[in-house]
Amino acid sequence: MTSTEFTTVDSAAAFVPAPATPYQGDIARYWNNEARPVNLRLGDVDGLYHHHYGIGDVDHAALGDADDSEHEKKLITELHRLESAQAEVLLDHLGSIGPDDTLVDAGCGRGGSMVMAHQRFGCKVEGVTLSAKQADFANQRADELRIQDHVRARVCNMLDMPFETGQAAGSWNNESSMYVDLHDLFSEHSRVLEVGGRYVTITGCWNPRYGQPSKWVSQINAHFECNIHSRREYLRAMADNRLVPQAIVDLTPATLPYWELRATSSLVTGIEEAFINSYKDGSFQYVLIAADRV
């Protein structure tokens, strides 16, 4: 698939559409005002700014002694390594992507995963976010890296993306699907994906076997002003929208080390306990689902 050329813009904020619902307006304001040190300081390690969590075993040797004056800096570097490892796993599941393809990052944040996707595949990557602040940040980073002709963020609703039907060879949501109705979301991904294209999501979801969302899940919802879905809802909405799962991976054991390490850092936000406890009691899961558009 041949990508369309990008149009250079001075600021994503110049193209901010009116929110479709009051809730979307609330989410846009939330992320426009968000400036948690945990997101910015981790991104400062190498210029890849993520808005998701990490997976993998902690390299305790890299952390050194807790009394070392450089320990906190090393801890932040290790947290960021685990963040980028998570993004690599998502990209691993996109399948065969070529330089002439277009990828779509729905809920792109500050653009770290888009940069990684372009660096790996050489393709064009389109990101969408409700936050003008995030889009401007992502586009500035693309300019600094001189990849602005290949990587772009736009301010728009992921339920109504400004892409042609069948334009994308692959698309993803990385911890952003909890802000929307899943049937509406997967209907739109199904529209923009070419037949045979791959959709991937990594997300936290509540475990139907627990019965209902636990108190920990409710705390996470309140903290991020989101609405976490159950694993069952993801699979049902995909089936209704011509997205056939090819891989379902439980990443819960792989993400616990990240959270336990983060809870010992100076970057705690107060939500760490809820994640750790909900993962351990089985009420919350961290899941990757890769599905093909048929």
Side-chain angles (χ1 to χ4, degrees):
M1 173 181 295
T2 301
S3 304
T4 56
E5 292 298 320
F6 287 176
T7 302
T8 302
V9 296
D10 293 330
S11 169
F15 295 88
V16 178
T21 65
Y23 174 73
Q24 289 180 349
D26 288 343
I27 297 307
R29 283 189 291 273
Y30 177 93
W31 288 109
N32 281 333
N33 293 329
E34 183 274 338
R36 291 191 183 95
V38 69
N39 292 319
L40 296 170
R41 287 188 63 189
L42 269 61
D44 286 342
V45 170
D46 62 6
L48 291 171
Y49 292 86
H50 298 301
H51 279 276
H52 59 255
Y53 308 125
I55 59 173
D57 294 330
V58 174
D59 183 353
H60 291 283
L63 295 177
D65 192 288
D67 296 328
D68 184 345
S69 61
E70 294 290 301
H71 178 73
E72 183 70 9
K73 180 179 178 180
K74 292 177 181 178
L75 190 152
I76 289 169
T77 299
E78 181 65 3
L79 287 173
H80 182 64
R81 183 185 70 81
L82 298 176
E83 278 189 314
S84 291
Q86 188 261 32
E88 294 285 7
V89 168
L90 186 152
L91 297 179
D92 288 344
H93 284 80
L94 283 173
S96 180
I97 302 296
D100 292 330
D101 288 328
T102 295
L103 297 175
V104 173
D105 182 351
C108 65
R110 290 184 170 96
S113 296
M114 292 198 295
V115 173
M116 291 176 66
H118 169 68
Q119 289 174 340
R120 178 187 288 207
F121 302 117
C123 63
K124 287 185 168 63
V125 189
E126 291 266 20
V128 300
T129 173
L130 287 173
S131 168
K133 182 178 179 181
Q134 288 183 343
D136 283 339
F137 189 104
N139 288 332
Q140 181 178 338
R141 284 296 298 136
D143 287 343
E144 291 167 354
L145 294 169
R146 299 183 179 179
I147 57 173
Q148 67 272 18
D149 291 338
H150 294 86
V151 173
R152 172 176 64 171
R154 288 198 266 187
V155 181
C156 66
N157 181 356
M158 70 173 73
L159 304 182
D160 185 20
M161 294 186 280
F163 310 126
E164 297 177 5
T165 298
Q167 180 178 343
S171 64
W172 70 83
N173 287 94
N174 196 353
E175 296 182 18
S176 56
S177 55
M178 64 287 298
Y179 287 101
V180 293
D181 176 88
L182 291 181
H183 279 82
D184 292 342
L185 175 67
F186 293 149
S187 174
E188 185 64 351
H189 277 286
S190 183
R191 182 189 69 79
V192 303
L193 281 168
E194 63 183 6
V195 174
R198 173 64 59 87
Y199 169 77
V200 182
T201 185
I202 295 181
T203 187
C205 55
W206 65 269
N207 187 353
R209 291 186 178 181
Y210 192 81
Q212 288 291 331
S214 67
K215 66 178 182 180
W216 305 117
V217 172
S218 296
Q219 286 183 22
I220 296 168
N221 276 333
H223 184 85
F224 293 104
E225 299 184 23
C226 64
N227 180 33
I228 292 166
H229 307 287
S230 72
R231 186 182 66 236
R232 182 181 299 145
E233 289 175 272
Y234 279 91
L235 298 177
R236 183 182 300 127
M238 285 182 179
D240 289 344
N241 288 285
R242 305 182 66 86
L243 294 170
V244 178
Q246 304 299 308
I248 302 173
V249 184
D250 184 358
L251 296 172
T252 308
T255 198
L256 256 175
Y258 165 89
W259 283 102
E260 291 172 338
L261 181 63
R262 176 167 148 173
T264 69
S265 76
S266 63
L267 301 176
V268 292
T269 63
I271 200 61
E272 289 77 13
E273 180 186 21
F275 276 91
I276 292 169
N277 288 339
S278 61
Y279 285 142
K280 286 185 173 180
D281 71 15
S283 64
F284 194 44
Q285 296 177 309
Y286 198 53
V287 176
L288 178 148
I289 306 173
D292 285 348
R293 165 68 164 90
V294 299

